[in-house]
Amino acid sequence: MTDTTSTVEQQLEITLRVNGVARTATAPARRLLSDFLRHDLRLTGTHVGCEHGVCGACTVLVDGQPMRSCLMFAVTAQDHEITTVEGLAPDAEQMSPVQQAFTECHGLQCGFCTPGFLTTISAYLQENPDPTEAEARECISGNLCRCTGYQNIVKSVLRAAEITREREAGA
């Protein structure tokens, strides 16, 4: 005799504070944060690359700290502040310093890895606002890019630090 009962995974209502806004969707308890952001909340800026936490494309900020969203269940992100690449700019009229630097220094080519770099670098510059070139290389060492060769990404880290200082001096 064959068991014809199907197992249905329990759905949970998950509420996350993403980019300063409380967002709620229903998803299975085992839904990865990366999938929850992309498929349930329709925030597609977070990219999924290796799905093993190696490439860094899915990096978001959890309470200001870089986190591989492909390694975290969405349900565990409740009660935490999540910042995706969509939330890095201060407003719709102005790019963040890191976004502006990537534009000025040609820090991207295909753009697939870019959201992970932008979030990682943004968090890094909060803790180290005046990095050396060696420190900039260390900052990005956990993110993989198949297109650029990293030179312009390193330049972007240094330029972003410069832009941040300029904005703070002009404020």
Side-chain angles (χ1 to χ4, degrees):
M1 180 163 19
T2 307
D3 183 8
T4 59
T5 58
S6 64
T7 56
V8 177
E9 192 167 5
Q10 179 186 5
Q11 300 288 308
L12 300 175
E13 185 172 276
I14 301 171
T15 301
L16 302 181
R17 187 159 180 78
V18 183
N19 302 326
V21 177
R23 305 278 306 264
T24 301
T26 302
R30 297 179 344 149
R31 172 88 79 222
L32 295 173
L33 179 57
S34 56
D35 294 333
F36 187 78
L37 292 168
R38 291 184 58 77
H39 303 294
D40 299 303
L41 299 184
R42 302 282 187 237
L43 294 169
T44 57
T46 300
H47 293 166
V48 180
C50 69
E51 298 185 87
H52 296 286
V54 175
C55 73
C58 70
T59 303
V60 298
L61 303 180
V62 178
D63 298 330
Q65 296 301 309
M67 175 66 70
R68 305 293 207 245
S69 63
C70 75
L71 297 178
M72 183 177 188
F73 291 125
V75 71
T76 64
Q78 290 193 115
D79 301 322
H80 296 279
E81 180 68 36
I82 310 300
T83 305
T84 67
V85 67
E86 291 97 338
L88 293 178
D91 57 55
E93 303 298 317
Q94 184 179 33
M95 289 186 278
S96 75
V98 180
Q99 291 168 320
Q100 182 180 334
F102 262 67
T103 301
E104 289 178 13
C105 299
H106 309 286
L108 64 111
Q109 286 183 21
C110 82
F112 190 82
C113 63
T114 304
F117 275 104
L118 295 176
T119 53
T120 298
I121 295 165
S122 295
Y124 177 78
L125 291 176
Q126 290 292 313
E127 303 215 0
N128 188 352
D130 193 16
T132 64
E133 183 176 330
E135 291 168 333
R137 287 187 185 285
E138 179 67 24
C139 161
I140 64 169
S141 67
N143 291 66
L144 301 177
C145 175
R146 294 177 63 145
C147 300
T148 66
Y150 302 99
Q151 287 83 353
N152 288 345
I153 297 173
V154 171
K155 288 178 188 174
S156 297
V157 174
L158 300 175
R159 177 65 182 131
E162 209 173 74
I163 294 166
T164 301
R165 289 191 300 274
E166 290 168 1
R167 288 185 185 177
E168 288 172 356

